[in-house]
């Protein structure tokens, strides 16, 4: 018998749920419906989302708060076509809101959107998916993801869609993508040029303009320009320029043409086809200044090579540019002057501009209130007059307003060279350096500074008006010419010590050291400027390099700051002197100049206090500014009486208080006496060797006498120096007051005294508080009669056997210099 099959029970009519029509006006309810398993409910909910979001940003923000974005991002991949379509429409409209874009990025929705751009999907889905992608492509990370997922290829195919909205949205997205180089390079490989050129024939202006903007971006690359030329794209662009009915596209078209004109092949092509005539004619006849401005920019790009400049001259480009100068539009005048500046690098063009009386209108533009116009005019004049005396004479510098002369000084290298004598006579009256700060951004301004700062008064004015600040900043310029000229200007300005010190304080030394270490940035001027700054401030040189040569003479004001790293920012001695006493090694200074002599080098002083006989540097009295300096007309006796009276009233400080608060380095009378002693006892000795030995013995006795090598640890020089710091309440102490000194202190004193009496010696810093002096000595008795041999280098022992001379690089010399 066969087995009976059990039939499934059919649902009873009473178990079936009857359809319920829902009509909700609450968006929160509709958002809940997005989680329904029924396709019909999802379709209606997504459609309601789309209509609600389309009404404005407030509604979109409401949907974000209700959590509608996440379910919609999932529904765009639903297997039901109607659900997908309505979900994509809703999401595409909502993507214009910033909060929605952030959520979509977090939900990684781009792969799902790209999937909706597949050819199998409906055009309506393509429209809103591409719209959503266009909104997201504004963000850099989204652009990268779109490109990596192959979205650029998909979007290029959509440019051939029959729907104009799909084309527009795809173009917007492509335009955003090609702002980055990888996409620009890939668009040619993906054969994206032909569909872009085809869109130039669209009946919709917005699509044409987007296509032109995209072409303007991608034609920055030479390979893309070649592809455009191979696809006859340039002929299409020229046709647009020749059609007056398409004048609304002329501005964007000229941008593309301007990019293409950088190539010699394109210039030859446009000349052969008559396109160059059309371009120049459009520049002269157009009534739109924006069109003329872009035409002038196209001329500028074309004239980048000598061959192209010759072609432009043959086409009489000078007539076109002179015509454009007469149009009252600042942007056009700026672009025209820039075009003149580059085209007149052709010698024939310079003469042609003069024949067309085109120089005078450029001169008049120097009176413009627009800074960009004035800059461009100055640049044009610079090139028009360079190596052309006829143009320079026609220019008429002496007839210009003083402010315009200043501007030309700031911008025209040639005029500086030709008219320097005339300019220098009136430059101070014109306030050149006062106006320099803003103009120093020009590349030739630094040349003007270098030329005019040869005068000491000009350097002082430059320093006083704060012109060193922008000059030092230009040392960091990425432009090689600007950086080179800035180094030149620093080299000239560092000729005097105050200017050199100020530039070091502003960081010039650190920048020049960085440049010196760079193989690509350094130049001859940077090396010379670095050395000049060092030579103008030996204190800084010794701190950074640890070496002073025999030609570097220590003078009053020198101080030993200790060895520093190349990136260290030096602190001036005045600031160091005013710091509170700390545990760091003290700064030792040299100063044998009495205050009376120092005052003669400062501006007029109205208040002065007498010097302290003790050589200490106590803090000035609060009432010291009220004590008046005796006038020069008083007798010597009256001065002595007033001096005695002041000493009774106040505690006598060593420093001088001046009305303008000039700070003076404290006078070191003990060091002054040391100079007097060595002048009397060492200088008269018959030869250099005896002088070196005698001076070494003198220095050792002054610094605590000889110390045996194995008893250095018992020579408590640090304690003595610390006591001086506490006694003087300063981190800066005079070398004359040091009675116990180690290697570096003795070497410094030896160098300072040797330089005063004419003994050539160097100062080399070692490690662990070591330093030594090297001298060059010739043999007393020649080895061969009638022959002269070069002197030999010796290291002077100042510590263990004072006066002992050790041959350079000998074992004992090396041991002396190192632990």
């Amino acid at each position: 018998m066969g087995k009976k099959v059990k039939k499934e029970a059919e649902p009873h009519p009473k178990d079936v749920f009857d359809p319920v029509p829902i009509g909700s006006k609450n968006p929160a309810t509709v958002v809940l419906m997005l989680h329904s398993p029924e396709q019909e409910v999802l379709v209606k909910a997504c459609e309601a989302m789309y209509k609600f979001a389309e009404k404005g940003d407030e509604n979109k923000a409401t949907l974000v708060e209700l959590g509608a974005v996440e379910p919609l991002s999932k529904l765009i991949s639903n297997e039901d076509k109607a659900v997908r379509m309505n979900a994509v429409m809703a999401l595409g409209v909502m993507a214009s809101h910033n909060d929605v874009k952030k959520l979509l990025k977090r939900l990684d929705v781009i792969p799902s959107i790209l999937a909706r751009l597949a050819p199998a999907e409906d055009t309506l889905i393509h429209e809103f998916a591409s719209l959503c992608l266009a909104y997201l492509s504004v963000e850099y990370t989204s652009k990268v993801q779109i490109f990596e997922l192959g979205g650029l290829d998909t979007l290029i195919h959509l440019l051939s869609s029959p729907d104009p909205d799909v084309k527009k949205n795809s173009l917007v997205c492509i335009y955003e993508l090609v702002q980055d180089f990888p996409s620009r390079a890939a668009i040619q490989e993906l054969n994206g040029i032909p569909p872009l050129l085809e869109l130039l024939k669209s009946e919709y202006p917005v699509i044409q303009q987007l296509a032109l903007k995209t072409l303007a971006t991608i034609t920055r690359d030479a390979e893309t320009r070649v592809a455009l030329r191979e696809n006859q794209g340039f002929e299409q662009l020229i046709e647009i320029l020749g059609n007056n009915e398409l004048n609304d596209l002329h501005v964007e078209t000229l941008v593309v043409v301007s990019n293409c004109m950088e190539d010699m092949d394109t210039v030859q092509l446009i000349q052969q086809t008559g396109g160059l005539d059309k371009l120049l004619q459009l520049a002269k006849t157009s009534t739109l200044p924006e069109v003329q401005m872009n035409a002038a920019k196209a001329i500028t790009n074309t004239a980048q090579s000598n061959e192209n400049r010759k072609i432009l001259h043959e086409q009489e480009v000078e007539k076109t540019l002179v015509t454009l100068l007469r149009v009252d539009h600042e942007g056009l005048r700026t672009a025209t002057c820039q075009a003149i500046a580059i085209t007149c690098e052709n010698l024939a063009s310079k003469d042609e501009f003069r024949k067309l009386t085109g120089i005078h209108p450029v001169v008049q533009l120097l009176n413009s209130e627009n800074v960009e116009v004035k800059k461009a005019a100055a640049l044009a004049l610079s090139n028009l007059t360079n190596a052309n005396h006829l143009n320079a004479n026609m220019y008429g510098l002496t007839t210009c307003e003083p402010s315009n002369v200043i501007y030309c000084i700031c911008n025209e290298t040639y005029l500086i060279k030709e008219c320097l004598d005339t300019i220098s006579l009136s430059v101070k009256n014109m306030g050149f350096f006062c106006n320099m700060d803003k103009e120093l951004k020009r590349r030739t301004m630094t040349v003007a500074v270098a030329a005019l700062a040869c005068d000491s008064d000009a350097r002082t004015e430059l320093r006083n008006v704060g012109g060193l600040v922008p000059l030092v900043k230009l040392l960091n310029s990425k432009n090689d010419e600007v950086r080179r000229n800035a180094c030149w200007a620093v080299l000239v300005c560092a000729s005097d010590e105050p200017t050199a010190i100020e530039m070091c304080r502003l960081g010039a030394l650190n920048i020049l050291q960085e440049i010196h270490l760079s193989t690509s940035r350094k130049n001859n001027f940077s090396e010379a400027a670095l050395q000049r700054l060092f030579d103008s401030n030996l204190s800084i040189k010794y701190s950074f390099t640890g070496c002073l040569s025999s030609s570097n003479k220590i003078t009053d004001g020198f101080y030993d700051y200790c060895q520093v790293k190349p990136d260290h920012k030096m602190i001036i001695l005045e600031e160091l002197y005013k710091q509170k006493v700390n545990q760091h090694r003290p700064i030792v200074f040299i100063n044998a100049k009495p205050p009376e002599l120092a005052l003669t080098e400062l501006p007029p002083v109205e208040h002065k206090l007498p010097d302290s006989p003790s050589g200490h540097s106590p803090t000035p009295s609060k009432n010291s500014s009220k004590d008046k300096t005796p006038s020069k007309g008083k007798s010597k006796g009256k001065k002595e009486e007033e001096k005695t009276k002041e000493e009774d009233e106040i505690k006598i400080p060593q420093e001088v208080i001046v009305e303008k608060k000039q700070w003076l380095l404290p006078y070191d009378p003990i060091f002054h006496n040391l100079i007097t002693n060595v002048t009397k006892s060492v200088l008269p000795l018959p030869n250099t060797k005896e002088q070196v030995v005698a001076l070494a013995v003198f220095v050792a006795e002054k610094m605590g006498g000889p110390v045996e090598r194995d008893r250095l640890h018992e020579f408590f020089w640090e304690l003595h120096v610390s006591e001086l710091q506490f006694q003087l309440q300063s981190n800066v102490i005079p070398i004359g007051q040091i009675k116990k000194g180690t290697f570096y202190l003795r070497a410094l004193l030896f160098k300072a005294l040797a330089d005063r009496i004419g003994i050539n010696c160097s100062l080399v810093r070692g490690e662990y508080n070591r330093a030594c002096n090297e001298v060059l000595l010739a043999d007393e008795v020649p080895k061969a009669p009638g022959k002269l041999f070069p002197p030999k280098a010796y290291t002077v022992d100042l510590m263990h056997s004072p006066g002992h001379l050790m041959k350079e690089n000998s074992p004992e010399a090396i041991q002396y210099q190192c632990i």
Side-chain angles (χ1 to χ4, degrees):
M1 291 179 63
K3 188 177 181 179
K4 293 183 179 180
V5 179
K6 185 178 180 180
K7 294 183 179 180
E8 293 184 1
E10 294 183 2
H12 193 274
K14 67 178 182 179
D15 297 331
V16 177
F17 193 84
D18 296 331
V20 179
I22 299 176
S24 176
K25 294 185 178 181
N26 190 333
T29 304
V30 181
V31 170
L32 292 175
M33 293 169 63
L34 294 175
H35 299 279
S36 173
E38 296 184 51
Q39 305 296 335
E40 186 177 353
V41 174
L42 292 175
V43 170
K44 292 181 179 180
C46 290
E47 183 180 2
M49 292 285 105
Y50 165 71
K51 293 179 180 179
F52 183 72
E54 199 176 24
K55 295 179 181 179
D57 287 341
E58 292 183 2
N59 290 359
K60 296 170 188 174
T62 300
L63 292 177
V64 172
E65 293 175 358
L66 294 173
V69 176
E70 185 173 358
L72 283 174
S73 65
K74 295 177 180 179
L75 291 176
I76 63 173
S77 301
N78 193 284
E79 56 186 25
D80 186 81
K81 184 177 179 180
V83 175
R84 288 201 309 273
M85 181 181 299
N86 285 281
V88 169
M89 290 172 62
L91 208 58
V93 173
M94 291 175 64
S96 63
H97 196 279
N98 288 329
D99 292 339
V100 176
K101 283 189 281 189
K102 292 178 182 178
L103 279 173
L104 292 176
K105 180 180 175 182
R106 191 185 309 161
L107 295 169
D108 192 24
V109 76
I110 289 178
S112 300
I113 296 175
L114 288 173
R116 301 289 72 75
L117 296 177
E121 297 285 3
D122 283 354
T123 302
L124 192 60
I125 293 179
H126 286 170
E127 176 185 344
F128 285 94
S130 60
L131 177 64
C132 183
L133 213 58
Y135 286 130
L136 293 175
S137 64
V138 178
E139 299 290 336
Y140 174 75
T141 53
S142 298
K143 286 193 287 187
V144 172
Q145 189 179 15
I146 294 171
F147 178 75
E148 291 178 347
L149 293 174
L152 183 60
D153 188 21
T154 303
L155 291 167
I156 290 174
H157 283 93
L158 288 178
L159 295 179
S160 303
S161 171
D163 187 272
D165 288 321
V166 175
K167 292 179 180 179
K168 172 180 170 294
N169 296 336
S170 300
L171 266 176
V172 171
C173 193
I174 292 173
Y175 173 74
E176 294 294 341
L177 289 175
V178 297
Q179 301 305 312
D180 300 325
F181 175 75
S183 296
R184 284 203 304 272
I187 199 167
Q188 178 195 345
E189 299 175 0
L190 297 172
N191 198 28
I193 303 295
L196 285 172
L197 292 174
E198 188 64 28
L199 292 179
L200 296 180
K201 303 174 184 177
S202 173
E203 58 181 318
Y204 299 97
V206 65
I207 293 179
Q208 291 175 305
Q209 290 174 350
L210 281 170
L212 287 169
K213 287 177 65 178
T214 305
L215 287 170
T217 302
I218 63 177
T219 50
R220 297 174 191 168
D221 301 327
E223 294 181 358
T224 306
R225 294 196 292 268
V226 173
L228 182 71
R229 193 166 59 245
E230 292 175 349
N231 285 277
Q232 289 76 45
F234 205 77
E235 288 80 353
Q236 284 186 247
L237 298 173
I238 297 301
E239 288 179 10
I240 293 175
L241 293 177
N243 189 345
N244 291 330
E245 295 181 359
L246 299 177
N247 58 3
D248 57 328
L249 302 178
H250 285 176
V251 174
E252 288 81 6
T253 304
L254 280 169
V255 176
V256 184
V257 171
S258 177
N259 291 343
C260 296
M261 298 284 274
E262 294 181 14
D263 299 331
M264 182 65 186
D265 293 339
T266 303
V267 176
Q268 292 177 346
L269 175 64
I270 191 176
Q271 184 189 28
Q272 294 169 0
T273 58
L276 190 55
D277 286 331
K278 290 182 180 179
L279 175 63
L280 298 178
Q281 188 66 25
L282 177 66
K284 289 190 290 186
T285 59
S286 176
T287 57
L288 299 174
E290 290 79 8
V291 173
Q292 294 176 306
M293 181 172 64
N294 282 282
K297 291 179 180 179
I299 294 172
T300 301
N301 283 350
T302 306
Q304 296 299 319
S305 67
N306 290 327
E307 292 298 324
N308 288 356
R309 286 192 286 270
K310 291 179 182 178
I311 294 174
L312 288 173
H313 175 65
E314 293 171 359
Q315 297 293 135
E316 298 182 336
V317 69
E318 297 85 3
K319 292 183 179 179
T320 301
L321 294 174
V322 171
T323 301
L324 293 179
L325 282 175
R326 300 190 182 101
V327 181
D328 188 12
H329 186 275
E330 292 178 345
L332 175 57
R333 285 175 171 172
T334 301
T336 303
C337 287
Q338 290 171 344
I340 292 174
I342 190 68
T343 54
C344 72
E345 290 186 16
N346 179 279
L347 296 179
S349 292
K350 289 184 181 181
D351 296 333
E352 190 65 25
F353 277 115
R354 185 181 67 254
K355 294 175 184 177
L356 295 171
T357 64
I359 298 179
H360 182 70
V362 179
V363 174
Q364 296 302 311
L365 292 180
L366 290 175
N367 296 318
S368 173
E369 295 180 358
N370 185 282
V371 176
E372 295 302 321
V373 173
K374 189 181 290 188
K375 287 181 180 180
L379 178 61
L381 287 174
S382 175
N383 290 352
L384 282 167
T385 56
N386 187 18
N388 193 307
H389 292 281
L390 293 175
N391 286 2
N393 293 335
M394 184 178 180
Y395 176 20
L397 179 66
T398 56
T399 63
C400 295
E401 291 294 325
S403 59
N404 295 335
V405 176
I406 294 169
Y407 195 86
C408 292
I409 293 172
C410 299
N411 292 276
E412 301 182 37
T413 309
Y414 176 73
L415 291 175
I416 294 168
K417 297 175 182 176
E418 293 295 313
C419 311
L420 185 58
D421 293 337
T422 304
I423 292 170
S424 297
L425 294 175
S426 56
V427 66
K428 292 185 69 175
N429 294 332
M430 292 179 179
F432 169 74
F433 288 117
C434 293
N435 291 277
M436 192 199 69
D437 188 16
K438 295 180 181 179
E439 309 302 340
L440 198 51
K441 297 177 182 177
R442 296 293 300 165
R443 62 182 177 87
T444 53
M445 177 59 181
T446 47
V447 181
V449 174
L452 295 170
C454 293
D455 178 65
S456 60
D457 292 338
R459 288 194 296 270
T460 302
E461 183 183 356
L462 173 65
R463 187 173 66 251
N464 292 340
V465 300
L468 296 178
V469 176
L471 177 60
V472 170
K473 288 181 180 178
L474 281 184
L475 291 174
N476 277 320
S477 174
K478 295 181 180 179
N479 183 283
D480 291 339
E481 184 179 359
V482 173
R483 186 171 59 254
R484 175 182 174 276
N485 291 342
C487 291
W488 179 17
V490 170
L491 171 64
V492 175
C493 293
S495 298
D496 54 43
E497 186 175 348
T499 307
I501 292 174
E502 180 64 15
M503 286 193 291
C504 290
R505 189 185 67 81
L506 294 171
L509 195 60
N510 302 101
I511 299 172
L512 287 171
Q513 285 184 302
E514 292 175 3
I515 294 174
H516 184 68
L517 296 174
S518 171
T519 55
S520 60
R521 298 173 63 202
K522 71 177 181 180
N523 53 72
N524 292 336
F525 282 117
S526 67
E527 296 179 12
L530 178 61
Q531 191 59 43
R532 178 67 62 84
L533 281 180
F534 278 147
D535 291 340
S536 298
N537 194 321
L538 296 183
S539 302
I540 292 177
K541 179 177 183 179
Y542 189 49
S543 293
F544 278 100
T545 66
C547 181
L548 295 181
S549 67
S550 58
S551 61
N552 298 137
K553 304 299 181 183
I554 290 179
T555 57
D556 295 321
F558 179 89
Y559 62 97
D560 181 6
Y561 183 75
C562 79
Q563 188 74 33
V564 297
K565 295 181 180 179
D567 58 349
H568 180 81
K569 188 171 183 179
M570 291 293 293
I571 304 175
I572 62 175
L573 188 56
E574 180 181 356
E575 295 177 2
L576 292 169
Y577 185 81
K578 294 177 180 179
Q579 289 179 352
K580 294 182 179 180
V581 178
N582 54 45
Q583 74 277 13
H584 298 300
R585 198 185 84 174
I587 292 91
V588 180
F589 70 85
I590 306 291
N591 186 30
K593 183 183 295 182
E596 293 83 358
L597 296 178
L599 281 172
T600 62
E601 301 176 2
L602 293 171
V605 177
E606 295 188 5
H607 305 296
K608 177 183 175 183
L609 292 174
D611 302 323
S612 171
S614 65
H616 289 213
S617 304
T619 306
S621 169
K622 293 181 180 179
N623 299 325
S624 59
S625 60
K626 298 180 181 179
D627 298 320
K628 296 184 179 179
T629 304
S631 64
K632 294 181 179 180
K634 293 184 179 182
S635 65
K636 184 176 181 181
K638 290 183 178 180
K639 290 182 180 179
E640 293 296 332
E641 290 176 6
E642 291 187 9
K643 182 176 180 180
T644 304
K645 183 177 179 180
E646 288 174 337
E647 288 176 352
D648 293 336
E649 292 178 356
I650 62 173
K651 183 179 181 181
I652 303 173
Q654 180 187 358
E655 298 175 29
V656 177
I657 307 303
V658 294
E659 184 178 5
K660 294 185 179 181
K661 297 183 179 179
Q662 297 96 337
W663 180 81
L664 290 181
L665 184 63
Y667 169 50
D668 186 357
I670 300 177
F671 178 66
H672 195 169
N673 292 335
L674 294 178
I675 296 174
T676 304
N677 292 337
V678 298
T679 303
K680 293 178 180 179
S681 61
V682 178
L683 187 58
L685 295 176
N687 57 62
T688 305
K689 183 176 181 180
E690 291 185 25
Q691 291 177 342
V692 169
V693 173
L695 182 59
V697 173
F698 180 88
V699 169
E701 291 177 354
K702 169 66 180 64
M703 287 284 182
V707 182
E708 295 179 10
R709 191 181 304 276
D710 56 355
R711 301 182 69 88
L712 281 173
H713 62 281
E714 298 177 1
F715 186 64
F716 301 112
W717 65 273
E718 298 100 329
L719 179 60
H720 169 65
V721 172
S722 298
E723 289 174 347
L724 280 177
Q725 279 183 277
F726 180 77
Q727 180 184 352
L728 298 176
Q729 283 298 295
S730 174
N731 298 312
V732 180
I733 60 177
I735 195 168
Q737 294 198 26
I738 299 176
K739 306 303 180 186
K740 281 187 177 183
T742 189
F743 293 87
Y744 82 92
L745 294 171
R746 298 187 183 207
L748 176 58
L749 180 59
F750 184 91
K751 169 70 173 170
L753 293 173
D755 289 343
R756 301 296 174 119
I757 60 175
I759 298 176
N760 290 327
C761 77
S762 63
L763 175 62
V764 181
R765 192 194 301 278
E767 296 180 352
Y768 307 105
N769 294 319
R770 298 255 177 160
C772 67
N773 304 101
E774 294 181 352
V775 295
L776 292 175
L777 298 175
D779 293 330
E780 296 180 5
V781 180
K783 295 180 179 179
K787 293 185 179 180
L788 296 176
F789 293 91
K792 298 178 181 179
Y794 294 90
T795 298
V796 184
D797 189 343
L798 301 172
M799 198 73 190
H800 308 305
S801 300
H804 176 56
L805 301 177
M806 301 167 282
K807 288 186 179 181
E808 185 183 25
N809 296 327
S810 64
E812 60 177 346
I814 296 173
Q815 186 180 19
Y816 180 83
Q817 297 172 16
C818 306
I819 295 294

